Amino acid sequence: MHVRPHYTALLAVTTLLLTACAASPFNKAALRDVDRRVTYAQALQNPDAVRNRQVLFGGSIVAVRNLEQHTEIILLVYPLTGWDRPNTSATPLGRLIVLQPGYLESMDFAPGRLLSVRGYLDGVRQEALGQSTYLYPVLQALELHLWPSEPEAVFPRFSIGVGVSSGHVGGAVGVPFP
């Protein structure tokens, strides 16, 4: 079977672009230190066993509290996609407190914005939530990624176009990036 060179090149470029869609926004070298086996449930139920472990969690911002030395972000945690974006179509796992040194602008880190965080687990904290108390895992942030606030799209998406003109056949593949 003979495959035309331009079809082979098109297939190679398409594969490369689809692979690029699954890239994490985090520092690639630092991601090697993340223990992706540590789950939210372990951080909540057995905090001493996973204390000081570097993890990657993400979710939807519930609230931001700017304090004297640091900012606390209350995050509704979701499972992460292959590119480390919170998957809000999944069931939320629970809430988490993210500690970030310094001040964060609460207008930028507004409720509902999606955030992914790389950091160290630092135990749990019990706080009031409505008329009851809630146990929050605490995460000391090393790296934050605030996702763009445009409507969430399903990725990867791609489109294929084919055209015929004067006996020539052409085509194109488009892949949007998150």
Side-chain angles (χ1 to χ4, degrees), residues 15-82:
T15 302
L16 180 65
L17 289 174
L18 289 173
T19 303
C21 287
S24 174
F26 290 96
N27 176 309
K28 306 306 181 241
L31 283 177
R32 284 182 240 146
D33 296 330
V34 171
D35 187 346
R36 291 189 183 260
R37 297 169 300 173
V38 176
T39 66
Y40 174 85
Q42 289 172 315
L44 183 64
Q45 297 165 2
N46 199 357
D48 291 333
V50 294
R51 185 181 297 271
N52 296 321
R53 298 280 275 289
Q54 196 176 135
V55 296
L56 187 61
F57 288 136
S60 178
I61 297 173
V62 174
V64 174
R65 301 184 287 221
N66 279 300
L67 304 173
E68 190 173 326
Q69 299 294 319
H70 66 278
T71 300
E72 295 183 352
I73 303 168
I74 307 299
L75 202 61
L76 181 60
V77 177
Y78 287 92
L80 297 177
T81 65

Side-chain angles (χ1 to χ4, degrees), residues 119-139:
Y120 288 99
L121 288 169
D122 193 15
V124 294
R125 186 191 305 170
Q126 187 172 334
E127 290 190 6
L129 180 62
Q131 298 296 314
S132 63
T133 57
Y134 195 87
L135 200 57
Y136 296 83
V138 177
L139 183 64

Side-chain angles (χ1 to χ4, degrees), residues 68-105:
E68 190 173 326
Q69 299 294 319
H70 66 278
T71 300
E72 295 183 352
I73 303 168
I74 307 299
L75 202 61
L76 181 60
V77 177
Y78 287 92
L80 297 177
T81 65
W83 55 90
D84 296 330
R85 180 184 176 104
N87 180 3
T88 56
S89 63
T91 302
L93 304 173
R95 293 179 179 216
L96 171 81
I97 296 176
V98 177
L99 304 178
Q100 170 69 29
Y103 174 83
L104 292 176
E105 178 53 60

